[in-house]
């Protein structure tokens, strides 16, 4: 099964994917996490992506598509996609690649949220560079301030979560990514619109309900 999680940066895609992926035996594939790992490893791909990421822009489609289609093959097309596709071209290219391997996107979950909440979530986000865990200075605090619960590493604010970059990322979302929702709706995909403004647990419950409903429908239709 392939489920795509859409929504603006800071909507809670990564947080939710971590909470639900195992439940459905899906691999959580976050294009942002993969790019950050490439950067940390100092790879050519990571270097290529760096300037786009730090300014809040999008990494070129061809680079992302090759990276994500490769990652999906490794996950045997059983995945929860987070942060990809982020342009209509990426959505089209993903569908083309899946068509060739006999797969398809099974469902799309679209996290909707107001801009003011997003800004608070992004500027308050703190991340562990070692294990990738994500916290928030008010909404999801670690046990010890500034320290990762999992490994004791110091938590950092991502360069692209600083206030001056956040505004650009939101602008890019509306200009280039929001249209991906309509791309899937027009293609007749099942799209679940979920209010992501509530508590973390409430959003998880809504996502689980959607995916459970989908599995039940597929079981009935065979
Ligand atoms: P995305 O992956 O969509 O960019 P994240 O999952 O990293 O977003 O969440 C962004 C920030 O908001 C993180 O600091 C996270 O702890 C916090 N957060 C996520 N979901 C919620 C929620 N429902 N309520 C409050 N804070 C949240
Ligand atoms: P994220 O962790 O999803 O917020 O992504 C962080 C940054 O990585 C984005 O602001 C982009 O610069 C880059 N990125 C992640 N996913 C994509 C994608 N699908 N297409 C283009 N750029 C991406």
């Amino acid at each position: 099964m392939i489920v795509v999680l859409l929504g603006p940066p800071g909507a809670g895609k990564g947080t939710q994917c971590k909470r639900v992926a195992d439940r459905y035996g899906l691999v959580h594939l976050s294009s942002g996490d993969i790019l950050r790992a490439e950067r940390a490893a100092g790879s050519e791909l990571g270097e290529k992506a760096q300037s786009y990421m730090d300014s809040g822009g999008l990494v070129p489609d061809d680079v992302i598509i090759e990276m994500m289609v490769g990652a999906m093959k490794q996950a045997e097309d059983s995945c929860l996609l987070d942060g990809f596709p982020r342009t209509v071209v990426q959505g089209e290219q993903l569908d083309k690649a899946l068509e060739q391997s006999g797969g398809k996107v099974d469902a799309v979950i679209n996290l909707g949220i107001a801009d003011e909440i997003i800004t608070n979530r992004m500027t308050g986000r703190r991340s562990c560079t070692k294990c990738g865990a994500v916290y928030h200075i008010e909404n999801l605090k670690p046990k010890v301030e500034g320290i990762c619960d999992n490994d004791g590493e110091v938590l950092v604010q991502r360069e692209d979560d600083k206030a001056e970059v956040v505004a650009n990322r939101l602008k890019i979302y509306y200009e280039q990514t929001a249209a991906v929702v309509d791309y899937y709706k027009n293609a007749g995909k099942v799209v679940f619109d979920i209010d992501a403004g509530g508590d973390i647990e409430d959003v998880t419950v809504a996502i689980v309900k959607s995916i459970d409903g989908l599995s039940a429908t597929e079981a009935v239709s065979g």
Side-chain angles (χ1 to χ4, degrees):
M1 179 163 70
I2 297 174
V3 178
V4 173
L5 225 81
L6 296 177
K13 300 183 296 295
T15 302
Q16 295 302 332
C17 284
K18 285 182 183 132
R19 290 169 70 94
V20 303
D22 281 355
R23 188 184 183 108
Y24 298 102
L26 299 175
V27 179
H28 170 203
L29 287 181
S30 153
S31 45
D33 283 352
I34 297 173
L35 288 168
R36 280 184 287 279
E38 293 285 344
R39 284 180 63 172
S43 73
E44 200 180 314
L45 169 58
E47 271 176 33
K48 219 186 262 179
Q50 183 162 341
S51 60
Y52 299 101
M53 293 174 78
D54 285 347
S55 66
L58 295 185
V59 176
D61 286 335
D62 53 340
V63 174
I64 293 289
I65 290 156
E66 192 185 338
M67 177 183 94
M68 291 306 286
V69 169
M72 289 175 72
K73 267 198 194 123
Q74 277 188 19
E76 295 175 349
D77 285 350
S78 201
C79 49
L80 204 47
L81 294 178
D82 161 9
F84 171 81
R86 230 174 175 108
T87 63
V88 171
V89 170
Q90 290 179 19
E92 289 169 347
Q93 293 294 323
L94 171 60
D95 280 345
K96 232 181 240 171
L98 288 173
E99 223 172 270
Q100 280 169 12
S101 61
K104 66 175 170 52
V105 167
D106 293 281
V108 176
I109 292 172
N110 179 36
L111 299 183
I113 187 162
D115 288 359
E116 310 77 70
I117 308 181
I118 293 178
T119 304
N120 169 281
R121 285 193 188 171
M122 277 202 274
T123 53
R125 173 163 49 192
R126 296 293 181 270
S127 312
C128 176
T129 49
K130 195 169 174 193
C131 74
V134 170
Y135 301 85
H136 190 279
I137 52 172
E138 291 156 0
N139 309 337
L140 191 64
K141 295 179 182 180
K143 291 190 184 98
V144 179
E145 192 182 330
I147 303 292
C148 180
D149 291 349
N150 300 334
D151 51 29
E153 199 72 14
V154 173
L155 299 175
V156 298
Q157 183 178 37
R158 277 166 47 180
E159 240 357 89
D160 59 346
D161 277 343
K162 297 192 169 152
E164 54 282 14
V165 185
V166 162
N168 190 39
R169 293 176 71 196
L170 263 183
K171 181 169 165 273
I172 300 253
Y173 170 77
Y174 288 114
E175 283 174 0
Q176 300 195 47
T177 308
V180 177
V181 180
D182 285 334
Y183 168 73
Y184 282 123
K185 284 186 176 166
N186 292 336
K189 293 284 175 205
V190 179
V191 178
F192 298 104
D193 284 305
I194 288 178
D195 175 8
D199 287 348
I200 292 177
E201 177 60 19
D202 292 346
V203 180
T204 303
V205 168
I207 291 174
V208 165
K209 212 168 143 191
S210 303
I211 302 181
D212 283 352
L214 179 77
S215 313
T217 316
E218 289 201 338
V220 171
S221 61

